[in-house]
Every structure is written in C-alpha cells, then in structure tokens.
Amino acid sequence: LVVGLAGCSAMQPSKMVTFSAKLSGASEVPAVTTAGKGMAEATLNKDTNVLKWKVTYSGLTGPAMAGHFHGPAAAGTNAGVVVPFASAASPIEGQATLTAAQVSDLMAGKWYANIHTAANKGGEIRGQLMQGM
C-alpha cells in the first residue's frame, strides 16, 4: 500500500512552473534598434504564488535606468508595471508574492520583462515570459 501511495504522489503535477524570455529591441512596441539583448528566467511556486527571477542583459545603449515585469499584455501590446525590479543592474535577481490575478495573467503568457535606458525611456529590450522554454 505504501508503494502505491508513493507512486500516486509522483503523478501529481509539479508545484513549480518555469518561464523564460529572450529580450530584444525588436520585441519592444514600437521596436527599438539596439545591440542590446538579454534573458529572463523565472520560477513560480503555485502553492505559495512566489515568483523568483533572474534577468541578465548586455549591449545596451547605456546603463539600465529601470527594469520591470509588465502586464497583462500579449506580445505586440504594452501594459503597465506589475512588478518592479529593486535594481536594474545585470544580473537582476529578486522575488515577489503574486496575487491570484497576477498568477493567472503570468500563466496565460501575458507578462513581459522590460529594461529601460536613458536613450530608450519606454524600454530598450523586452521579452514575453512563456512557460517551460
């Protein structure tokens, strides 16, 4: 009986969901010409709604002035800030506890990471967070 129960728990869906995004100027709305590029990686614990992230980038036109997760928005559309980053210096690492609505938007692919510079105040590089990439 114990072996059977252990097998059942192994079949339960994982409480951890991973997300990633490639950041580029081409993904900005409107698009930005830049050599800048980056990567956002995040993990959501569905039991606690805690999102942990690491964002790295290089090649920007100047120092990053700010960075955030924005949403809800599909690729090609803009939205407001949902989670600001405490620092914009690469690598950016942090965590936040999300609301149920934020989790729903994130899981639906409606969040993006955005890095802003003085030359590109609306954002220089951006990437849509997608599950399991």
Side-chain angles (χ1 to χ4, degrees), residues 5 15 17 29 36 42 47-48 52 56 65-68 89 91 131 133:
L5 291 175
K15 67 180 180 177
V17 180
V29 179
D47 288 344
T48 62
K52 295 183 180 183
T56 56
M65 307 303 288
H68 327 274
Q131 283 188 52
M133 296 184 64

Side-chain angles (χ1 to χ4, degrees), residues 56-111:
T56 56
Y57 59 82
S58 62
L60 300 179
T61 57
M65 307 303 288
H68 327 274
F69 288 124
H70 292 251
T77 60
N78 291 319
V81 174
V82 286
V83 177
F85 301 148
S87 167
S90 183
I92 302 165
E93 295 186 65
Q95 71 177 46
T97 302
L98 307 183
T99 66
Q102 290 172 328
V103 168
S104 179
D105 289 337
L106 175 62
M107 296 290 290
K110 295 181 178 178
W111 274 31

Side-chain angles (χ1 to χ4, degrees), residues 2 16 19 24 32 41 45 48 51 53 56 73 75 93 99 108 115 127 130:
V2 172
M16 305 303 281
F19 300 86
S24 71
V32 171
E41 297 170 306
N45 182 321
T48 62
L51 180 70
W53 62 84
T56 56
E93 295 186 65
T99 66
I115 305 297
M130 302 304 287

